Amino acid sequence: DVVMTQSPLSLPVTLGQPASISCRSSQSLVHSDGNTYLNWFQQRPGQSPRRLIYKVSNRDSGVPDRFSGSGSGTDFTLKISRVEAEDVGIYYCMQATHWPITFGQGTRLEIK
Amino acid sequence: QVQLVESGGGVVQPGGSLRLSCAASGFTFSRYAMHWVRQAPGKGLEWVAFIRHDESSKYYADSVKGRFTISRDTSKNTLYLQMNSLRAEDTALYYCARDRTNFDFWGQGTLVTVSS
């Protein structure tokens, strides 16, 4: 199975400051069709997961442009340019290139 | 708008069975692959099962293989998860999610508790 390793697992951030979450996979996430199926999800307290980013760097409709995704191969990053109070929650990366589909452990973002 | 509504959760004894449902609306259900994903209390997300739009392929996590069965009824726009031989470690909030790679929409989840 592809292991997805996120860091840090806990991320205290001051309002208005940037934040960055790393996600590393144990093998390349480039699919035979040329796509890289790496998604990022946000789970606010008491809510279902919400997709923020798909295929590494494509932001979902309605997601603020302070969120961005980047990376390639086995190394990926989710960045928040200026953290707002509504960003509190747990962030997960997920790969859908290989079976079984696997998620990172989650990174808990909190306001300092 | 796209909606996924799970139901069927509850409390069940170890070794028991439960069938979860996920009612889909707001999109052409027959065109989309679907997944079940679960989240144990206070834990992260775990993919459980997948079914192609035409049921030609089904995949399962090793942790549920041989015990859980995913299916769908296009006439009812509903996804199912038949869970047999339930164990304490199956206790979780179960979500359905849309699409093979995208997971672009999720339901609100239905809670399964396996306890004597």
Side-chain angles (χ1 to χ4, degrees), chain B:
Chain B
Q1 71 283 19
V2 173
Q3 273 203 311
L4 298 170
V5 180
E6 300 92 339
S7 61
V11 180
V12 61
Q13 291 189 339
S17 298
L18 216 51
R19 188 178 82 156
L20 306 183
S21 299
C22 167
S25 60
F27 66 101
T28 306
F29 181 67
S30 61
R31 293 183 182 174
Y32 285 86
M34 298 291 294
H35 298 267
W36 286 99
V37 177
R38 68 185 180 183
Q39 187 170 35
K43 302 297 184 183
L45 301 169
E46 178 189 16
W47 171 79
V48 173
F50 162 85
I51 185 168
R52 270 181 59 107
H53 68 286
D54 58 3
E55 299 190 74
S56 59
S57 294
K58 300 178 184 181
Y59 297 114
Y60 299 92
D62 284 347
S63 57
V64 307
K65 204 173 293 183
R67 301 187 299 122
F68 290 11
T69 302
I70 190 171
S71 63
R72 61 194 297 160
D73 185 335
T74 299
S75 68
K76 295 182 179 178
N77 286 348
T78 302
L79 174 73
Y80 300 102
L81 186 67
Q82 177 67 43
M83 304 186 297
N84 298 330
S85 304
L86 283 162
R87 306 167 180 167
E89 54 265 36
D90 296 318
T91 294
L93 188 59
Y94 284 74
Y95 298 101
C96 58
R98 191 180 81 158
D99 198 80
R100 148 79 180 94
T101 59
N102 285 321
F103 289 73
D104 53 355
F105 288 95
W106 297 58
Q108 85 291 346
T110 186
L111 182 62
V112 172
T113 303
V114 184
S115 173
S116 54

Side-chain angles (χ1 to χ4, degrees), chain A residues 39 43 48 51 92 96 99 101, chain B residues 35 39 100-102 107-108:
Chain A
N39 297 340
Q43 189 174 32
S48 302
R51 195 182 68 176
Y92 296 93
W99 294 104
I101 289 168
Chain B
H35 298 267
Q39 187 170 35
R100 148 79 180 94
T101 59
N102 285 321
Q108 85 291 346

